[in-house]
Amino acid sequence: MLAWRERRQSQEKLQKVSQTGDAQYAPSLHLQLIELEDDLKRLKGFARRADKVAHKRDVLLPKWLPIVTEYLATLQSAKENDKNAISDNPIFAYCVVWLFDIDDLGQGIELGLKAIELNQPMARSIRRTWAGFISDAVYDWATVQAENGHSIEPYFSQVFKYVANGWKLPEVVAAKYYKFAGLALLRTTNGDVKPTQVGDINRLQQADALLEKAASLHKHAQVKTVRNKIEMRIRALEAYGSQESGSQEPS
């Protein structure tokens, strides 16, 4: 009976957290983890991905994210030499994953980078490192955005910076980022990749350099065709520029 009452009180407290956004009502960490396990089991019960995403957005994140925010605030105020201040926090990990699942990339990237900084373990349902998970999630999102003629910023460039300069990812992952960055410079407003529509030689050269880097990282990057088109476009623009310059010379 006591255990049942304890669980009931825990659920009521977490419901208050969800309603108020205030982590002060949260139960003990032990009870939080028990409730988290129950939530994960309930989540598996949804057959459709759309229903899972809606549940994460409308139920799970309002319930758990305030607790994660409070946890991070506590770490921020703790002394740097207090090793006990930083501990494995599966609630933190799952909230980061859920943020990406609902396409809240701004907060997802912010907390994902914090997870890397704090050396937090990845959620046990994900068999990737944080860097691999974040890079894949942002790449998949950016692909959909670009193909529909939408902006990929600021999130693509934000993560590309880490892919290019900090994270030790497999070469194939880094290559696809360089390739995507190069192709992004060649896209029209409707999302098509068309070097023939680019009139800026510097932009074409920048795209080619990124694609060359992709090819150097992974031999199957498949950038040869588009690089040939870039080369032809540059030659055409240079020839046109020479003709224009020649026509303006005094007779």
Side-chain angles (χ1 to χ4, degrees):
M1 180 64 72
L2 179 61
W4 180 87
R5 287 179 179 175
E6 197 175 35
R7 291 285 295 275
R8 182 62 181 171
Q9 290 173 353
S10 173
Q11 292 168 356
E12 289 174 352
K13 289 180 178 180
L14 287 167
Q15 186 176 15
K16 199 164 186 179
V17 171
S18 180
Q19 291 170 344
T20 64
D22 193 335
Q24 69 170 319
Y25 300 109
S28 67
L29 178 59
H30 171 69
L31 292 175
Q32 289 177 34
L33 295 178
I34 292 174
E35 183 68 17
L36 176 65
E37 288 301 317
D38 288 344
D39 277 344
L40 294 174
K41 290 177 183 177
R42 282 191 287 268
L43 191 59
K44 288 183 178 180
F46 290 100
R48 300 197 317 157
R49 183 181 183 278
D51 293 333
K52 289 184 178 182
V53 170
H55 187 70
K56 292 170 185 176
R57 182 188 63 242
D58 300 334
V59 177
L60 297 181
L61 283 168
K63 177 179 180 178
W64 294 112
L65 200 53
I67 294 173
V68 170
T69 302
E70 177 66 21
Y71 165 73
L72 293 175
T74 301
L75 291 184
Q76 187 67 29
S77 62
K79 294 180 180 179
E80 291 184 3
N81 60 355
D82 184 3
K83 295 182 180 179
N84 293 324
I86 299 178
S87 58
D88 296 351
N89 192 320
I91 299 171
F92 179 22
Y94 275 105
C95 280
V96 177
V97 172
W98 294 337
L99 285 167
F100 280 100
D101 289 341
I102 69 168
D103 280 346
D104 187 346
L105 269 66
Q107 198 170 8
I109 292 171
E110 178 185 356
L111 293 185
L113 294 176
K114 196 69 178 177
I116 293 174
E117 176 189 335
L118 298 175
N119 199 30
Q120 284 287 318
M122 168 56 79
R124 67 173 183 267
S125 59
I126 308 294
R127 295 184 179 179
R128 275 173 289 175
T129 64
W130 280 114
F133 173 78
I134 294 169
S135 60
D136 284 346
V138 172
Y139 180 86
D140 291 343
W141 170 86
T143 298
V144 174
Q145 295 295 109
E147 289 176 351
N148 287 281
H150 301 152
S151 174
I152 59 174
E153 303 301 344
Y155 307 125
F156 178 81
S157 292
Q158 185 178 355
V159 173
F160 184 33
K161 175 180 68 176
Y162 290 98
V163 172
N165 300 308
W167 293 343
K168 295 186 182 300
L169 294 167
E171 288 84 353
V172 64
V173 176
K176 73 179 184 180
Y177 258 82
Y178 277 99
K179 178 180 178 179
F180 192 92
L183 296 181
L185 295 173
L186 307 173
R187 290 188 185 275
T188 61
T189 55
N190 65 359
D192 294 333
V193 176
K194 289 188 176 181
T196 55
Q197 299 297 311
V198 180
D200 184 342
I201 290 180
N202 289 333
R203 187 181 182 90
L204 289 163
Q205 291 173 335
Q206 184 181 357
D208 188 60
L210 290 165
L211 296 173
E212 182 182 23
K213 178 67 174 179
S216 71
L217 288 168
H218 187 58
K219 63 181 180 180
H220 297 303
Q222 297 182 333
V223 297
K224 184 176 181 180
T225 299
V226 70
R227 290 192 68 199
N228 287 339
K229 291 180 179 180
I230 290 173
E231 182 182 1
M232 289 188 290
R233 179 59 174 168
I234 290 175
R235 286 204 304 265
L237 290 173
E238 288 176 339
Y240 179 77
S242 297
Q243 292 174 0
E244 284 290 299
S245 176
S247 67
Q248 293 175 9
E249 292 181 0
S251 56

